[in-house]
PDB file of all heavy atoms in Angstrom:
ATOM      1  N   PRO A 202      69.317 -45.381  -1.425  1.00 98.00           N
ATOM      2  CA  PRO A 202      68.426 -45.171  -0.215  1.00 98.00           C
ATOM      3  C   PRO A 202      67.997 -46.546   0.474  1.00 98.00           C
ATOM      4  O   PRO A 202      67.909 -46.659   1.678  1.00 98.00           O
ATOM      5  CB  PRO A 202      67.249 -44.503  -0.736  1.00 98.00           C
ATOM      6  CG  PRO A 202      67.528 -43.794  -2.022  1.00 98.00           C
ATOM      7  CD  PRO A 202      68.685 -44.653  -2.497  1.00 98.00           C
ATOM      8  N   GLU A 203      67.891 -47.590  -0.484  1.00 98.00           N
ATOM      9  CA  GLU A 203      67.554 -48.927   0.131  1.00 98.00           C
ATOM     10  C   GLU A 203      68.618 -49.433   0.961  1.00 98.00           C
ATOM     11  O   GLU A 203      68.370 -49.872   2.057  1.00 98.00           O
ATOM     12  CB  GLU A 203      67.145 -49.869  -1.037  1.00 98.00           C
ATOM     13  CG  GLU A 203      65.882 -49.626  -1.721  1.00 98.00           C
ATOM     14  CD  GLU A 203      66.010 -48.527  -2.868  1.00 98.00           C
ATOM     15  OE1 GLU A 203      67.130 -47.918  -3.010  1.00 98.00           O
ATOM     16  OE2 GLU A 203      64.884 -48.207  -3.374  1.00 98.00           O
ATOM     17  N   ARG A 204      69.931 -49.395   0.441  1.00 98.00           N
ATOM     18  CA  ARG A 204      70.983 -49.897   1.239  1.00 98.00           C
ATOM     19  C   ARG A 204      71.129 -49.072   2.511  1.00 98.00           C
ATOM     20  O   ARG A 204      71.411 -49.598   3.580  1.00 98.00           O
ATOM     21  CB  ARG A 204      72.284 -49.743   0.357  1.00 98.00           C
ATOM     22  CG  ARG A 204      73.574 -50.211   1.006  1.00 98.00           C
ATOM     23  CD  ARG A 204      73.541 -51.706   1.182  1.00 98.00           C
ATOM     24  NE  ARG A 204      74.676 -52.130   2.120  1.00 98.00           N
ATOM     25  CZ  ARG A 204      74.543 -52.707   3.423  1.00 98.00           C
ATOM     26  NH1 ARG A 204      73.358 -52.901   3.746  1.00 98.00           N
ATOM     27  NH2 ARG A 204      75.577 -53.039   4.068  1.00 98.00           N
ATOM     28  N   ALA A 205      70.920 -47.717   2.416  1.00 98.00           N
ATOM     29  CA  ALA A 205      71.105 -46.911   3.574  1.00 98.00           C
ATOM     30  C   ALA A 205      70.147 -47.212   4.667  1.00 98.00           C
ATOM     31  O   ALA A 205      70.436 -47.346   5.898  1.00 98.00           O
ATOM     32  CB  ALA A 205      70.993 -45.447   3.212  1.00 98.00           C
ATOM     33  N   ALA A 206      68.881 -47.410   4.190  1.00 98.00           N
ATOM     34  CA  ALA A 206      67.844 -47.769   5.197  1.00 98.00           C
ATOM     35  C   ALA A 206      68.088 -49.036   5.951  1.00 98.00           C
ATOM     36  O   ALA A 206      67.943 -49.232   7.196  1.00 98.00           O
ATOM     37  CB  ALA A 206      66.494 -47.720   4.478  1.00 98.00           C
ATOM     38  N   GLU A 207      68.517 -50.036   5.103  1.00 98.00           N
ATOM     39  CA  GLU A 207      68.774 -51.374   5.692  1.00 98.00           C
ATOM     40  C   GLU A 207      69.912 -51.272   6.676  1.00 98.00           C
ATOM     41  O   GLU A 207      69.905 -51.845   7.759  1.00 98.00           O
ATOM     42  CB  GLU A 207      69.235 -52.316   4.480  1.00 98.00           C
ATOM     43  CG  GLU A 207      69.488 -53.720   4.748  1.00 98.00           C
ATOM     44  CD  GLU A 207      70.023 -54.369   3.596  1.00 98.00           C
ATOM     45  OE1 GLU A 207      70.824 -53.865   2.834  1.00 98.00           O
ATOM     46  OE2 GLU A 207      69.744 -55.671   3.401  1.00 98.00           O
ATOM     47  N   PHE A 208      70.924 -50.435   6.250  1.00 98.00           N
ATOM     48  CA  PHE A 208      72.119 -50.429   7.141  1.00 98.00           C
ATOM     49  C   PHE A 208      71.845 -49.615   8.423  1.00 98.00           C
ATOM     50  O   PHE A 208      72.175 -49.999   9.509  1.00 98.00           O
ATOM     51  CB  PHE A 208      73.208 -49.627   6.396  1.00 98.00           C
ATOM     52  CG  PHE A 208      74.598 -49.503   6.979  1.00 98.00           C
ATOM     53  CD1 PHE A 208      75.635 -50.505   6.846  1.00 98.00           C
ATOM     54  CD2 PHE A 208      74.890 -48.418   7.883  1.00 98.00           C
ATOM     55  CE1 PHE A 208      76.810 -50.426   7.549  1.00 98.00           C
ATOM     56  CE2 PHE A 208      76.015 -48.393   8.512  1.00 98.00           C
ATOM     57  CZ  PHE A 208      77.050 -49.369   8.295  1.00 98.00           C
ATOM     58  N   MET A 209      71.006 -48.584   8.381  1.00 98.00           N
ATOM     59  CA  MET A 209      70.684 -47.778   9.546  1.00 98.00           C
ATOM     60  C   MET A 209      69.870 -48.518  10.434  1.00 98.00           C
ATOM     61  O   MET A 209      70.042 -48.489  11.617  1.00 98.00           O
ATOM     62  CB  MET A 209      69.987 -46.515   9.094  1.00 98.00           C
ATOM     63  CG  MET A 209      70.839 -45.458   8.482  1.00 98.00           C
ATOM     64  SD  MET A 209      70.088 -43.884   8.409  1.00 98.00           S
ATOM     65  CE  MET A 209      69.745 -43.806   6.707  1.00 98.00           C
ATOM     66  N   GLN A 210      68.952 -49.399   9.934  1.00 97.00           N
ATOM     67  CA  GLN A 210      68.158 -50.288  10.737  1.00 97.00           C
ATOM     68  C   GLN A 210      69.002 -51.300  11.475  1.00 97.00           C
ATOM     69  O   GLN A 210      68.867 -51.475  12.642  1.00 97.00           O
ATOM     70  CB  GLN A 210      67.084 -51.030   9.910  1.00 97.00           C
ATOM     71  CG  GLN A 210      66.202 -51.751  10.778  1.00 97.00           C
ATOM     72  CD  GLN A 210      64.810 -51.996   9.916  1.00 97.00           C
ATOM     73  OE1 GLN A 210      64.174 -51.034   9.609  1.00 97.00           O
ATOM     74  NE2 GLN A 210      64.516 -53.197   9.708  1.00 97.00           N
ATOM     75  N   GLU A 211      70.019 -51.793  10.789  1.00 98.00           N
ATOM     76  CA  GLU A 211      70.892 -52.781  11.423  1.00 98.00           C
ATOM     77  C   GLU A 211      71.853 -52.091  12.482  1.00 98.00           C
ATOM     78  O   GLU A 211      72.278 -52.865  13.307  1.00 98.00           O
ATOM     79  CB  GLU A 211      71.864 -53.386  10.336  1.00 98.00           C
ATOM     80  CG  GLU A 211      71.337 -54.575   9.513  1.00 98.00           C
ATOM     81  CD  GLU A 211      72.168 -54.830   8.288  1.00 98.00           C
ATOM     82  OE1 GLU A 211      73.382 -54.437   8.289  1.00 98.00           O
ATOM     83  OE2 GLU A 211      71.665 -55.433   7.301  1.00 98.00           O
ATOM     84  N   HIS A 212      72.107 -50.948  12.289  1.00 97.00           N
ATOM     85  CA  HIS A 212      73.010 -50.241  13.203  1.00 97.00           C
ATOM     86  C   HIS A 212      72.497 -49.275  14.196  1.00 97.00           C
ATOM     87  O   HIS A 212      73.080 -48.385  14.626  1.00 97.00           O
ATOM     88  CB  HIS A 212      74.150 -49.549  12.363  1.00 97.00           C
ATOM     89  CG  HIS A 212      75.095 -50.582  11.706  1.00 97.00           C
ATOM     90  ND1 HIS A 212      74.741 -51.153  10.465  1.00 97.00           N
ATOM     91  CD2 HIS A 212      76.251 -51.070  12.107  1.00 97.00           C
ATOM     92  CE1 HIS A 212      75.782 -51.995  10.142  1.00 97.00           C
ATOM     93  NE2 HIS A 212      76.590 -52.003  11.050  1.00 97.00           N
ATOM     94  N   GLY A 213      71.188 -49.626  14.582  1.00 95.00           N
ATOM     95  CA  GLY A 213      70.703 -48.929  15.776  1.00 95.00           C
ATOM     96  C   GLY A 213      70.132 -47.541  15.541  1.00 95.00           C
ATOM     97  O   GLY A 213      69.922 -46.822  16.504  1.00 95.00           O
ATOM     98  N   ALA A 214      69.772 -47.151  14.302  1.00 98.00           N
ATOM     99  CA  ALA A 214      69.081 -45.860  14.162  1.00 98.00           C
ATOM    100  C   ALA A 214      67.671 -45.931  14.539  1.00 98.00           C
ATOM    101  O   ALA A 214      67.014 -46.996  14.346  1.00 98.00           O
ATOM    102  CB  ALA A 214      69.173 -45.378  12.675  1.00 98.00           C
ATOM    103  N   ASP A 215      67.109 -44.973  15.168  1.00 98.00           N
ATOM    104  CA  ASP A 215      65.647 -44.886  15.502  1.00 98.00           C
ATOM    105  C   ASP A 215      64.872 -44.189  14.458  1.00 98.00           C
ATOM    106  O   ASP A 215      63.669 -44.350  14.353  1.00 98.00           O
ATOM    107  CB  ASP A 215      65.536 -44.120  16.901  1.00 98.00           C
ATOM    108  CG  ASP A 215      66.121 -44.725  17.932  1.00 98.00           C
ATOM    109  OD1 ASP A 215      65.805 -46.003  18.300  1.00 98.00           O
ATOM    110  OD2 ASP A 215      67.158 -44.245  18.512  1.00 98.00           O
ATOM    111  N   ILE A 216      65.523 -43.294  13.655  1.00 98.00           N
ATOM    112  CA  ILE A 216      64.804 -42.621  12.545  1.00 98.00           C
ATOM    113  C   ILE A 216      65.779 -42.570  11.378  1.00 98.00           C
ATOM    114  O   ILE A 216      67.045 -42.303  11.601  1.00 98.00           O
ATOM    115  CB  ILE A 216      64.610 -41.069  12.992  1.00 98.00           C
ATOM    116  CG1 ILE A 216      63.638 -41.031  14.193  1.00 98.00           C
ATOM    117  CG2 ILE A 216      64.101 -40.276  11.853  1.00 98.00           C
ATOM    118  CD1 ILE A 216      63.226 -39.673  14.779  1.00 98.00           C
ATOM    119  N   VAL A 217      65.420 -42.861  10.238  1.00 98.00           N
ATOM    120  CA  VAL A 217      66.163 -42.721   9.027  1.00 98.00           C
ATOM    121  C   VAL A 217      65.892 -41.412   8.333  1.00 98.00           C
ATOM    122  O   VAL A 217      64.693 -41.057   8.198  1.00 98.00           O
ATOM    123  CB  VAL A 217      65.938 -43.976   8.153  1.00 98.00           C
ATOM    124  CG1 VAL A 217      66.434 -45.270   8.791  1.00 98.00           C
ATOM    125  CG2 VAL A 217      64.570 -44.118   7.598  1.00 98.00           C
ATOM    126  N   ALA A 218      66.851 -40.771   7.822  1.00 98.00           N
ATOM    127  CA  ALA A 218      66.646 -39.454   7.294  1.00 98.00           C
ATOM    128  C   ALA A 218      67.387 -39.147   6.098  1.00 98.00           C
ATOM    129  O   ALA A 218      68.329 -39.915   5.695  1.00 98.00           O
ATOM    130  CB  ALA A 218      67.003 -38.454   8.492  1.00 98.00           C
ATOM    131  N   LEU A 219      67.086 -38.037   5.352  1.00 98.00           N
ATOM    132  CA  LEU A 219      67.975 -37.452   4.383  1.00 98.00           C
ATOM    133  C   LEU A 219      67.931 -35.996   4.486  1.00 98.00           C
ATOM    134  O   LEU A 219      67.011 -35.392   4.938  1.00 98.00           O
ATOM    135  CB  LEU A 219      67.370 -37.894   2.942  1.00 98.00           C
ATOM    136  CG  LEU A 219      66.070 -37.263   2.551  1.00 98.00           C
ATOM    137  CD1 LEU A 219      66.007 -36.851   1.130  1.00 98.00           C
ATOM    138  CD2 LEU A 219      64.850 -38.218   2.894  1.00 98.00           C
ATOM    139  N   ASN A 220      69.109 -35.453   4.041  1.00 98.00           N
ATOM    140  CA  ASN A 220      69.122 -33.983   4.040  1.00 98.00           C
ATOM    141  C   ASN A 220      70.221 -33.615   3.000  1.00 98.00           C
ATOM    142  O   ASN A 220      71.001 -34.389   2.535  1.00 98.00           O
ATOM    143  CB  ASN A 220      69.625 -33.458   5.384  1.00 98.00           C
ATOM    144  CG  ASN A 220      71.134 -33.736   5.659  1.00 98.00           C
ATOM    145  OD1 ASN A 220      71.412 -34.916   5.998  1.00 98.00           O
ATOM    146  ND2 ASN A 220      71.945 -32.704   5.597  1.00 98.00           N
TER     147      ASN A 220
END
Side-chain angles (χ1 to χ4, degrees):
E203 288 81 3
R204 178 72 189 114
E207 182 186 38
F208 187 89
M209 283 194 258
Q210 187 158 299
E211 278 169 19
H212 288 85
D215 299 296
I216 297 177
V217 298
L219 68 141
N220 73 285

